[in-house]
Amino acid sequence: MRHYTSWYFNYKGESFITLEKENIFRILKPDKHDVIMDAGCADGRLSFELANLVKEIHAFDFSKEGIEELDGKIKSKGISNIKTGVVDLTAELPAGLPAFDKVISIQVLQHISGQQQLKKAIKNIYNAIKPGGSFITLNYSSEKIMKKIRKQFGGFLGGAERDGYHAFMIREIRELCLEAGFKKVNIETSHHIPPRFYAFKITKYLLKLDAFAAKLPFSRYFGHYLIVEGKK
């Protein structure tokens, strides 16, 4: 999709995107020595946010159109530490890649159909990470209370395959990561406020409240998204 970042901003809202970035970066802890893969980068929304914080980013997406747009943006901005490629995570990754310190894959796995394809993608990511490295992914939650909330407030209902999305149960995504080889898998939730409110510029205090809710023991049952960190 061309102009994905503009569409994403208009569709999700500023508050949604702010909270998403804060939660991802809090777990990722980007470092100036990091070599990172942005797996499913679209037109580079998060790659550009990371460019000044890390050593190098390899931004991959299966969409040739999206990568062409990203290449144009990189050239216009004069950025030298983002490398791009048209890559399908469910196929073999390109030869000659560095061992990555960290891999991010944000709202990507939920678009992959079928368990075997999911397993292949996560295994490819695992193999690309150096020992001690980490994998951070954010995708739709399909916990039972979350389904009820979505029915009440609208939006994607979660559960099985629906309109190109696959929402994950906590146990499901944990088992997929462990099966791929990750030694430790930490899972928390994000975006606990009903989706319609993210269309507005809600206050920073409400964002802090949402972030605080993620730390509550029962939050995993009503967050809209699961944030997973797999440690190799």
Side-chain angles (χ1 to χ4, degrees):
M1 175 188 290
R2 284 197 176 276
H3 312 302
Y4 175 83
T5 297
S6 297
W7 170 84
Y8 192 79
F9 186 90
N10 292 330
Y11 179 69
K12 295 291 189 179
E14 180 180 347
S15 298
F16 177 99
I17 293 170
T18 298
L19 181 60
E20 180 188 54
K21 175 188 169 183
E22 287 182 356
N23 282 338
I24 292 167
F25 280 34
R26 172 175 53 81
I27 297 170
L28 181 66
K29 297 180 177 63
D31 181 89
K32 64 181 179 180
H33 300 295
D34 283 342
V35 177
I36 290 178
M37 181 202 297
D38 185 355
C41 63
D43 61 355
R45 180 173 63 89
L46 288 172
S47 291
F48 287 120
E49 295 278 2
L50 286 167
N52 291 328
L53 303 175
V54 302
K55 180 180 179 181
E56 187 173 86
I57 302 166
H58 289 247
F60 297 146
D61 200 276
F62 78 99
S63 169
K64 181 179 178 182
E65 188 178 59
I67 292 299
E68 287 175 349
E69 182 175 356
L70 174 54
D71 286 336
K73 289 181 178 181
I74 290 170
K75 184 176 180 180
S76 68
K77 294 175 182 288
I79 295 174
S80 60
N81 68 334
I82 300 180
K83 301 181 184 298
T84 66
V86 179
V87 174
D88 181 354
L89 290 175
T90 65
E92 297 300 323
L93 298 186
L97 293 177
F100 294 99
D101 297 288
K102 297 162 186 173
V103 173
I104 61 170
S105 188
I106 308 305
Q107 298 201 52
V108 174
L109 298 183
Q110 65 195 24
H111 295 286
I112 297 176
S113 298
Q115 287 291 300
Q116 292 307 311
Q117 294 289 81
L118 277 168
K119 288 179 180 180
K120 178 66 172 177
I122 297 172
K123 187 65 176 181
N124 281 339
I125 288 170
Y126 173 83
N127 289 337
I129 299 172
K130 65 173 57 174
S134 60
F135 168 47
I136 291 88
T137 183
L138 178 147
N139 299 279
Y140 275 118
S141 169
S142 186
E143 291 297 318
K144 292 181 179 179
I145 294 177
M146 192 63 258
K147 290 181 185 178
K148 294 180 180 179
I149 291 174
R150 287 197 177 112
K151 287 179 181 178
Q152 177 67 31
F153 291 100
F156 172 64
L157 297 179
E161 306 287 343
R162 180 184 175 92
D163 298 329
Y165 291 90
H166 176 78
F168 291 89
M169 298 290 288
I170 291 173
R171 184 174 66 179
E172 175 191 12
I173 189 66
R174 184 188 303 278
E175 289 178 352
L176 284 167
C177 289
L178 290 172
E179 184 177 336
F182 289 101
K183 295 178 180 178
K184 186 177 181 181
V185 180
N186 299 314
I187 300 176
E188 61 182 68
T189 51
S190 180
H191 297 80
H192 304 84
I193 299 170
R196 63 182 65 176
F197 291 101
Y198 290 108
F200 305 99
K201 291 185 178 181
I202 59 179
T203 68
K204 63 181 180 180
Y205 302 107
L206 198 52
L207 289 175
K208 288 182 178 180
L209 178 62
D210 199 315
F212 172 76
K215 297 179 174 61
L216 300 175
F218 53 84
S219 67
R220 64 177 55 195
Y221 300 112
F222 67 91
H224 285 265
Y225 291 89
L226 299 179
I227 308 177
V228 179
E229 180 188 25
K231 299 290 288 185
K232 185 170 181 178

